[in-house]
Amino acid sequence: MKLKKLVNILDATVYTAKTYKPNKEVAFAFSCDLMSDALMMLRNVPLEFCEKGILSTGLVTIQGVRTAEMLDVKVILLVRGKKPTDQVIQIAEEKDIIMLGTAYTMFSSNGKMYEAGIKGISEI
Amino acid sequence: MIYTFEILPMNLEQAGYISSFIKKLLVDNKISKMVIRRVSIATYEAEINVVIHSYGGKCVVDYNEKQLKIVFSDTGPGIKNIESAMTEGFSTASTYARENGFGAGMGLPNIRNSCDEFDIQSSDKGTIVTIIFNL
């Protein structure tokens, strides 16, 4: 799926104008608020999962960006209307990470993504 | 090549800087992506541990084309029970750490499971975590 379609489905805000690529392919997602969960669960997934993956989280600090960087996940989706600071946006752009935000809860945004064909670890 | 870094306590804004440096070093040297991922996970978790649990410390990175050895050492307060700390889900992390997405009790097990060799020594004078990756 093109990222622009996901933005439309989630009525999402694009926070990183410099790194946003509307035609980037996305196919997978992982959701958590504790970054250790992402670091543990994504340790052994295929490279493609992270390259085409979305980290969906309510964590709006630099550590969310760092975690995505370490895992080579290129898209962060902030849920529940969380808004990043200018500093967080700047670091995301420096690391070539796309940061989106949606007002939907994690549950609802995940449901919409799944319905649209985005897969999780359990489906690969 | 040997690189040395200082790690400041409770400075989560800086946390990840060393891991980012190591990752770039490995990318520049064309190490496989799966190895880089394991290294990144382990070093980031270890760096976070020093930031959120210790009075501060340092990280020494020893890189050659066959092996990457990274030693994280801090100045206390130490880990009272290493066996408990190595158990998934066991955590003594602060609210501050949890608010920043860490402190789930997965750090040390995740580090151990990501590297090829792992060693931990701890006393009230400090903790030393050594991780080695075969490249």
Side-chain angles (χ1 to χ4, degrees), chain A residues 33-37 39-40 42-47 50-51 59 61-63 66-67 69-72 87 95, chain B residues 12-13 15-17 19-20 23 33-34 37 40-41 44-45 48 98-102 104 106-107 110 113-114:
Chain A
D33 283 345
L34 284 173
M35 294 298 104
S36 276
D37 285 344
L39 292 165
M40 180 187 65
L42 298 179
R43 188 175 66 229
N44 293 318
V45 297
L47 290 171
C50 291
E51 287 164 359
L59 185 73
T61 67
I62 292 169
Q63 301 316 318
R66 289 286 191 200
T67 300
E69 178 195 358
M70 295 306 146
L71 294 167
D72 277 328
Q87 185 191 19
K95 300 300 176 186
Chain B
L12 275 166
E13 286 195 8
Y17 172 80
S19 312
S20 191
K23 185 181 180 199
K33 287 186 176 181
M34 287 303 276
R37 184 195 285 168
S40 298
I41 289 169
Y44 186 44
E45 289 274 23
I48 289 285
R98 290 173 194 270
E99 285 172 353
N100 280 276
F102 287 91
M106 299 309 299
N110 214 4
N113 293 334
S114 297

Short mmCIF file of all heavy atoms in Angstrom, two decimals, chain A residues 33-37 39-40 42-47 50-51 59 61-63 66-67 69-72 87 95, chain B residues 12-13 15-17 19-20 23 33-34 37 40-41 44-45 48 98-102 104 106-107 110 113-114:
data_model
loop_
_atom_site.label_atom_id
_atom_site.label_comp_id
_atom_site.label_asym_id
_atom_site.label_seq_id
_atom_site.Cartn_x
_atom_site.Cartn_y
_atom_site.Cartn_z
N ASP A 33 3.78 0.85 23.35
CA ASP A 33 4.21 2.09 23.99
C ASP A 33 5.55 1.90 24.70
O ASP A 33 6.25 2.86 24.98
CB ASP A 33 3.16 2.56 25.01
CG ASP A 33 1.97 3.21 24.31
OD1 ASP A 33 2.08 3.54 23.12
OD2 ASP A 33 0.93 3.39 24.97
N LEU A 34 5.88 0.65 25.01
CA LEU A 34 7.17 0.37 25.62
C LEU A 34 8.16 -0.05 24.53
O LEU A 34 7.95 -1.05 23.84
CB LEU A 34 7.04 -0.73 26.67
CG LEU A 34 6.41 -0.29 27.99
CD1 LEU A 34 6.18 -1.49 28.90
CD2 LEU A 34 7.26 0.75 28.70
N MET A 35 9.20 0.72 24.37
CA MET A 35 10.11 0.51 23.25
C MET A 35 10.88 -0.80 23.35
O MET A 35 11.28 -1.37 22.35
CB MET A 35 11.07 1.70 23.13
CG MET A 35 10.36 2.99 22.74
SD MET A 35 9.53 2.92 21.12
CE MET A 35 7.81 2.75 21.56
N SER A 36 11.10 -1.28 24.57
CA SER A 36 11.76 -2.58 24.72
C SER A 36 10.95 -3.69 24.05
O SER A 36 11.51 -4.67 23.56
CB SER A 36 11.97 -2.92 26.19
OG SER A 36 13.15 -2.32 26.67
N ASP A 37 9.63 -3.54 24.04
CA ASP A 37 8.79 -4.53 23.37
C ASP A 37 9.10 -4.55 21.88
O ASP A 37 9.20 -5.62 21.27
CB ASP A 37 7.30 -4.24 23.60
CG ASP A 37 6.85 -4.61 25.00
OD1 ASP A 37 7.58 -5.37 25.68
OD2 ASP A 37 5.79 -4.14 25.42
N LEU A 39 11.92 -3.53 20.50
CA LEU A 39 13.29 -3.99 20.33
C LEU A 39 13.39 -5.51 20.48
O LEU A 39 14.22 -6.15 19.84
CB LEU A 39 14.21 -3.30 21.34
CG LEU A 39 14.39 -1.79 21.12
CD1 LEU A 39 14.99 -1.13 22.35
CD2 LEU A 39 15.25 -1.50 19.90
N MET A 40 12.53 -6.08 21.31
CA MET A 40 12.55 -7.53 21.48
C MET A 40 11.78 -8.23 20.36
O MET A 40 12.29 -9.16 19.74
CB MET A 40 11.92 -7.90 22.83
CG MET A 40 11.90 -9.40 23.09
SD MET A 40 10.99 -9.80 24.58
CE MET A 40 9.34 -9.28 24.12
N LEU A 42 10.88 -7.29 17.36
CA LEU A 42 11.30 -7.10 15.96
C LEU A 42 12.73 -7.57 15.71
O LEU A 42 13.27 -7.37 14.63
CB LEU A 42 11.15 -5.62 15.57
CG LEU A 42 9.72 -5.08 15.63
CD1 LEU A 42 9.68 -3.61 15.24
CD2 LEU A 42 8.78 -5.88 14.72
N ARG A 43 13.32 -8.20 16.72
CA ARG A 43 14.73 -8.60 16.60
C ARG A 43 14.95 -9.59 15.47
O ARG A 43 15.95 -9.51 14.76
CB ARG A 43 15.21 -9.21 17.93
CG ARG A 43 16.71 -9.45 17.94
CD ARG A 43 17.18 -9.93 19.30
NE ARG A 43 16.64 -11.24 19.61
CZ ARG A 43 16.03 -11.57 20.74
NH1 ARG A 43 15.89 -10.69 21.68
NH2 ARG A 43 15.55 -12.78 20.94
N ASN A 44 14.01 -10.50 15.30
CA ASN A 44 14.25 -11.58 14.32
C ASN A 44 13.30 -11.56 13.12
O ASN A 44 13.25 -12.52 12.37
CB ASN A 44 14.13 -12.93 15.04
CG ASN A 44 15.24 -13.13 16.05
OD1 ASN A 44 16.40 -12.80 15.78
ND2 ASN A 44 14.91 -13.65 17.22
N VAL A 45 12.54 -10.49 12.95
CA VAL A 45 11.63 -10.46 11.80
C VAL A 45 12.44 -10.24 10.52
O VAL A 45 13.56 -9.71 10.56
CB VAL A 45 10.55 -9.36 11.94
CG1 VAL A 45 9.67 -9.62 13.14
CG2 VAL A 45 11.18 -7.97 12.00
N PRO A 46 11.89 -10.64 9.36
CA PRO A 46 12.61 -10.40 8.11
C PRO A 46 12.88 -8.90 7.91
O PRO A 46 12.11 -8.06 8.38
CB PRO A 46 11.64 -10.93 7.04
CG PRO A 46 10.75 -11.88 7.76
CD PRO A 46 10.64 -11.37 9.16
N LEU A 47 13.95 -8.60 7.19
CA LEU A 47 14.31 -7.20 6.95
C LEU A 47 13.16 -6.42 6.33
O LEU A 47 12.94 -5.25 6.63
CB LEU A 47 15.54 -7.12 6.04
CG LEU A 47 16.86 -7.59 6.66
CD1 LEU A 47 17.94 -7.67 5.60
CD2 LEU A 47 17.29 -6.67 7.79
N CYS A 50 10.63 -4.52 8.61
CA CYS A 50 10.99 -3.20 9.10
C CYS A 50 11.07 -2.18 7.97
O CYS A 50 10.65 -1.03 8.13
CB CYS A 50 12.33 -3.27 9.86
SG CYS A 50 12.20 -4.17 11.41
N GLU A 51 11.61 -2.60 6.83
CA GLU A 51 11.75 -1.67 5.71
C GLU A 51 10.39 -1.15 5.24
O GLU A 51 10.27 -0.01 4.80
CB GLU A 51 12.47 -2.37 4.55
CG GLU A 51 13.97 -2.57 4.83
CD GLU A 51 14.61 -3.57 3.89
OE1 GLU A 51 13.91 -4.15 3.02
OE2 GLU A 51 15.82 -3.80 4.03
N LEU A 59 4.03 6.82 22.30
CA LEU A 59 5.23 7.43 22.87
C LEU A 59 5.72 8.52 21.93
O LEU A 59 6.07 8.26 20.78
CB LEU A 59 6.34 6.38 23.06
CG LEU A 59 7.60 6.92 23.75
CD1 LEU A 59 7.34 7.15 25.23
CD2 LEU A 59 8.77 5.96 23.56
N THR A 61 8.27 10.75 22.56
CA THR A 61 9.60 11.27 22.89
C THR A 61 10.64 10.87 21.84
O THR A 61 10.36 10.10 20.93
CB THR A 61 10.09 10.73 24.25
OG1 THR A 61 10.30 9.32 24.11
CG2 THR A 61 9.07 10.99 25.35
N ILE A 62 11.87 11.39 22.04
CA ILE A 62 12.98 11.06 21.15
C ILE A 62 13.22 9.55 21.10
O ILE A 62 13.64 9.00 20.08
CB ILE A 62 14.27 11.78 21.63
CG1 ILE A 62 14.12 13.27 21.44
CG2 ILE A 62 15.50 11.27 20.91
CD1 ILE A 62 15.22 14.09 22.12
N GLN A 63 12.92 8.86 22.20
CA GLN A 63 13.22 7.43 22.26
C GLN A 63 12.42 6.62 21.25
O GLN A 63 12.87 5.55 20.81
CB GLN A 63 13.00 6.90 23.68
CG GLN A 63 13.84 7.58 24.73
CD GLN A 63 15.29 7.77 24.30
OE1 GLN A 63 15.88 6.88 23.73
NE2 GLN A 63 15.86 8.94 24.55
N ARG A 66 14.52 7.04 18.16
CA ARG A 66 15.74 6.24 18.28
C ARG A 66 15.45 4.75 18.06
O ARG A 66 16.22 4.03 17.42
CB ARG A 66 16.37 6.42 19.66
CG ARG A 66 16.98 7.77 19.90
CD ARG A 66 18.27 7.93 19.15
NE ARG A 66 19.00 9.13 19.55
CZ ARG A 66 19.94 9.70 18.82
NH1 ARG A 66 20.26 9.22 17.64
NH2 ARG A 66 20.56 10.77 19.26
N THR A 67 14.34 4.29 18.63
CA THR A 67 13.98 2.88 18.49
C THR A 67 13.74 2.55 17.02
O THR A 67 14.22 1.53 16.51
CB THR A 67 12.74 2.55 19.33
OG1 THR A 67 13.04 2.83 20.70
CG2 THR A 67 12.33 1.10 19.19
N GLU A 69 14.95 4.10 14.51
CA GLU A 69 16.27 4.17 13.85
C GLU A 69 17.03 2.86 14.02
O GLU A 69 17.58 2.31 13.07
CB GLU A 69 17.09 5.33 14.45
CG GLU A 69 18.48 5.44 13.85
CD GLU A 69 19.40 6.33 14.68
OE1 GLU A 69 18.96 6.90 15.71
OE2 GLU A 69 20.58 6.44 14.29
N MET A 70 17.06 2.35 15.25
CA MET A 70 17.82 1.12 15.52
C MET A 70 17.26 -0.07 14.75
O MET A 70 17.99 -0.97 14.37
CB MET A 70 17.80 0.79 17.02
CG MET A 70 18.52 1.81 17.89
SD MET A 70 20.19 2.10 17.33
CE MET A 70 20.38 3.83 17.71
N LEU A 71 15.95 -0.05 14.54
CA LEU A 71 15.31 -1.19 13.88
C LEU A 71 15.15 -0.99 12.37
O LEU A 71 14.63 -1.86 11.68
CB LEU A 71 13.92 -1.43 14.51
CG LEU A 71 13.95 -1.88 15.97
CD1 LEU A 71 12.57 -1.77 16.59
CD2 LEU A 71 14.48 -3.30 16.09
N ASP A 72 15.58 0.16 11.88
CA ASP A 72 15.41 0.50 10.45
C ASP A 72 13.95 0.57 10.05
O ASP A 72 13.59 0.25 8.92
CB ASP A 72 16.16 -0.49 9.55
CG ASP A 72 17.63 -0.12 9.41
OD1 ASP A 72 17.93 1.09 9.44
OD2 ASP A 72 18.46 -1.03 9.27
N GLN A 87 11.81 19.44 18.32
CA GLN A 87 13.07 18.71 18.45
C GLN A 87 12.93 17.26 17.99
O GLN A 87 13.79 16.73 17.29
CB GLN A 87 13.54 18.75 19.91
CG GLN A 87 14.91 18.12 20.10
CD GLN A 87 15.25 17.91 21.58
OE1 GLN A 87 14.38 17.91 22.43
NE2 GLN A 87 16.52 17.74 21.87
N LYS A 95 17.13 11.46 10.71
CA LYS A 95 17.29 10.01 10.57
C LYS A 95 16.47 9.45 9.41
O LYS A 95 16.30 8.23 9.30
CB LYS A 95 16.89 9.31 11.89
CG LYS A 95 17.72 9.75 13.09
CD LYS A 95 19.19 9.46 12.88
CE LYS A 95 20.04 9.99 14.02
NZ LYS A 95 21.49 9.83 13.74
N LEU B 12 17.92 11.27 28.97
CA LEU B 12 17.32 10.44 27.91
C LEU B 12 17.34 11.13 26.55
O LEU B 12 17.14 10.50 25.53
CB LEU B 12 15.90 10.04 28.30
CG LEU B 12 15.84 8.79 29.18
CD1 LEU B 12 14.49 8.62 29.82
CD2 LEU B 12 16.19 7.55 28.38
N GLU B 13 17.57 12.43 26.56
CA GLU B 13 17.67 13.11 25.25
C GLU B 13 18.95 12.68 24.53
O GLU B 13 18.97 12.57 23.31
CB GLU B 13 17.66 14.63 25.45
CG GLU B 13 16.30 15.16 25.81
CD GLU B 13 16.19 16.66 25.65
OE1 GLU B 13 17.14 17.27 25.14
OE2 GLU B 13 15.17 17.21 26.06
N ALA B 15 20.49 9.78 25.18
CA ALA B 15 20.51 8.32 25.08
C ALA B 15 20.20 7.87 23.66
O ALA B 15 19.21 8.30 23.07
CB ALA B 15 19.51 7.71 26.05
N GLY B 16 21.05 7.03 23.15
CA GLY B 16 20.90 6.55 21.77
C GLY B 16 21.98 7.10 20.87
O GLY B 16 22.19 6.59 19.76
N TYR B 17 22.68 8.10 21.34
CA TYR B 17 23.74 8.72 20.53
C TYR B 17 24.84 7.71 20.21
O TYR B 17 25.30 7.61 19.07
CB TYR B 17 24.32 9.93 21.28
CG TYR B 17 25.53 10.52 20.61
CD1 TYR B 17 25.40 11.38 19.52
CD2 TYR B 17 26.82 10.18 21.03
CE1 TYR B 17 26.51 11.89 18.88
CE2 TYR B 17 27.94 10.70 20.39
CZ TYR B 17 27.78 11.56 19.33
OH TYR B 17 28.89 12.05 18.70
N SER B 19 24.67 4.37 20.34
CA SER B 19 24.13 3.31 19.49
C SER B 19 24.04 3.76 18.05
O SER B 19 24.32 3.00 17.12
CB SER B 19 22.74 2.91 19.99
OG SER B 19 22.76 2.70 21.38
N SER B 20 23.67 5.01 17.87
CA SER B 20 23.56 5.58 16.53
C SER B 20 24.94 5.64 15.87
O SER B 20 25.09 5.32 14.68
CB SER B 20 22.94 6.97 16.63
OG SER B 20 22.60 7.45 15.37
N LYS B 23 25.98 2.08 14.94
CA LYS B 23 25.21 1.63 13.77
C LYS B 23 25.81 2.20 12.49
O LYS B 23 26.01 1.49 11.50
CB LYS B 23 23.75 2.04 13.91
CG LYS B 23 22.91 1.49 12.78
CD LYS B 23 21.46 1.89 12.87
CE LYS B 23 20.72 1.27 11.68
NZ LYS B 23 19.45 1.91 11.42
N LYS B 33 22.88 -6.49 7.37
CA LYS B 33 21.81 -5.74 8.04
C LYS B 33 21.26 -6.47 9.26
O LYS B 33 20.87 -5.84 10.24
CB LYS B 33 20.67 -5.46 7.04
CG LYS B 33 21.04 -4.40 6.02
CD LYS B 33 19.83 -4.06 5.15
CE LYS B 33 20.18 -2.92 4.19
NZ LYS B 33 19.01 -2.55 3.34
N MET B 34 21.22 -7.79 9.20
CA MET B 34 20.69 -8.53 10.35
C MET B 34 21.64 -8.43 11.54
O MET B 34 21.20 -8.35 12.69
CB MET B 34 20.44 -10.01 9.99
CG MET B 34 19.24 -10.22 9.08
SD MET B 34 17.66 -9.58 9.74
CE MET B 34 17.14 -10.92 10.77
N ARG B 37 21.25 -5.00 13.01
CA ARG B 37 20.04 -4.89 13.83
C ARG B 37 20.29 -5.43 15.24
O ARG B 37 19.93 -4.80 16.24
CB ARG B 37 18.87 -5.64 13.19
CG ARG B 37 17.57 -5.44 13.98
CD ARG B 37 16.52 -6.44 13.58
NE ARG B 37 15.94 -6.11 12.30
CZ ARG B 37 15.16 -6.95 11.60
NH1 ARG B 37 14.91 -8.16 12.08
NH2 ARG B 37 14.64 -6.59 10.45
N SER B 40 22.48 -3.04 17.12
CA SER B 40 21.76 -1.81 17.46
C SER B 40 20.83 -2.02 18.65
O SER B 40 20.75 -1.19 19.56
CB SER B 40 20.95 -1.33 16.25
OG SER B 40 21.80 -1.02 15.17
N ILE B 41 20.13 -3.16 18.64
CA ILE B 41 19.21 -3.47 19.74
C ILE B 41 19.97 -3.60 21.06
O ILE B 41 19.61 -2.99 22.07
CB ILE B 41 18.42 -4.77 19.42
CG1 ILE B 41 17.41 -4.50 18.31
CG2 ILE B 41 17.71 -5.28 20.68
CD1 ILE B 41 16.77 -5.78 17.75
N TYR B 44 21.66 -0.22 22.18
CA TYR B 44 20.66 0.78 22.59
C TYR B 44 20.09 0.42 23.96
O TYR B 44 19.97 1.27 24.85
CB TYR B 44 19.57 0.86 21.53
CG TYR B 44 18.56 1.95 21.75
CD1 TYR B 44 18.96 3.23 22.13
CD2 TYR B 44 17.20 1.71 21.57
CE1 TYR B 44 18.02 4.23 22.31
CE2 TYR B 44 16.27 2.70 21.75
CZ TYR B 44 16.68 3.96 22.13
OH TYR B 44 15.76 4.94 22.32
N GLU B 45 19.75 -0.84 24.15
CA GLU B 45 19.23 -1.27 25.45
C GLU B 45 20.27 -1.03 26.55
O GLU B 45 19.95 -0.58 27.65
CB GLU B 45 18.85 -2.76 25.42
CG GLU B 45 17.62 -3.09 24.60
CD GLU B 45 16.32 -2.94 25.37
OE1 GLU B 45 16.30 -2.19 26.37
OE2 GLU B 45 15.32 -3.56 24.96
N ILE B 48 20.64 2.69 27.28
CA ILE B 48 19.48 3.14 28.06
C ILE B 48 19.63 2.69 29.52
O ILE B 48 19.35 3.46 30.45
CB ILE B 48 18.17 2.58 27.46
CG1 ILE B 48 17.85 3.26 26.13
CG2 ILE B 48 17.00 2.73 28.45
CD1 ILE B 48 17.32 4.65 26.23
N ARG B 98 9.86 4.71 32.57
CA ARG B 98 8.67 4.13 31.94
C ARG B 98 7.94 5.16 31.07
O ARG B 98 7.42 4.82 30.01
CB ARG B 98 7.72 3.58 33.01
CG ARG B 98 8.27 2.36 33.71
CD ARG B 98 7.37 1.94 34.87
NE ARG B 98 8.06 0.99 35.74
CZ ARG B 98 8.02 -0.31 35.59
NH1 ARG B 98 7.32 -0.85 34.62
NH2 ARG B 98 8.67 -1.09 36.42
N GLU B 99 7.94 6.40 31.52
CA GLU B 99 7.29 7.45 30.71
C GLU B 99 8.01 7.66 29.39
O GLU B 99 7.44 8.21 28.45
CB GLU B 99 7.26 8.77 31.50
CG GLU B 99 6.23 8.79 32.60
CD GLU B 99 6.35 10.02 33.49
OE1 GLU B 99 7.32 10.78 33.34
OE2 GLU B 99 5.46 10.20 34.34
N ASN B 100 9.26 7.23 29.34
CA ASN B 100 10.03 7.37 28.12
C ASN B 100 10.13 6.07 27.33
O ASN B 100 10.95 5.93 26.44
CB ASN B 100 11.42 7.92 28.43
CG ASN B 100 11.39 9.42 28.63
OD1 ASN B 100 11.44 10.18 27.67
ND2 ASN B 100 11.25 9.86 29.88
N GLY B 101 9.28 5.13 27.68
CA GLY B 101 9.16 3.92 26.87
C GLY B 101 10.07 2.78 27.27
O GLY B 101 10.20 1.80 26.55
N PHE B 102 10.69 2.90 28.46
CA PHE B 102 11.59 1.82 28.90
C PHE B 102 11.22 1.40 30.31
O PHE B 102 10.33 1.95 30.92
CB PHE B 102 13.05 2.28 28.81
CG PHE B 102 13.50 2.35 27.38
CD1 PHE B 102 13.37 3.51 26.65
CD2 PHE B 102 13.99 1.22 26.76
CE1 PHE B 102 13.74 3.55 25.31
CE2 PHE B 102 14.36 1.25 25.43
CZ PHE B 102 14.24 2.42 24.71
N ALA B 104 10.55 -1.98 31.06
CA ALA B 104 9.62 -3.11 31.01
C ALA B 104 10.27 -4.39 31.54
O ALA B 104 9.64 -5.43 31.59
CB ALA B 104 9.14 -3.34 29.59
N MET B 106 12.86 -5.84 30.10
CA MET B 106 13.30 -6.64 28.96
C MET B 106 14.73 -6.31 28.52
O MET B 106 15.27 -6.95 27.63
CB MET B 106 12.36 -6.42 27.76
CG MET B 106 10.91 -6.81 28.01
SD MET B 106 10.72 -8.49 28.67
CE MET B 106 11.44 -9.41 27.33
N GLY B 107 15.31 -5.30 29.13
CA GLY B 107 16.59 -4.80 28.65
C GLY B 107 17.71 -5.83 28.66
O GLY B 107 18.25 -6.18 27.62
N ASN B 110 17.12 -8.93 26.59
CA ASN B 110 17.18 -8.58 25.17
C ASN B 110 18.63 -8.40 24.71
O ASN B 110 18.99 -8.80 23.60
CB ASN B 110 16.39 -7.28 24.94
CG ASN B 110 15.72 -7.25 23.59
OD1 ASN B 110 15.76 -8.22 22.84
ND2 ASN B 110 15.10 -6.13 23.26
N ASN B 113 20.22 -11.89 24.47
CA ASN B 113 19.73 -12.66 23.34
C ASN B 113 20.15 -12.08 21.98
O ASN B 113 19.97 -12.72 20.96
CB ASN B 113 18.19 -12.74 23.39
CG ASN B 113 17.70 -13.55 24.56
OD1 ASN B 113 18.43 -14.43 25.05
ND2 ASN B 113 16.50 -13.28 25.03
N SER B 114 20.68 -10.87 21.99
CA SER B 114 21.04 -10.24 20.72
C SER B 114 22.51 -10.41 20.37
O SER B 114 22.88 -10.26 19.20
CB SER B 114 20.72 -8.73 20.77
OG SER B 114 19.34 -8.53 20.92
#
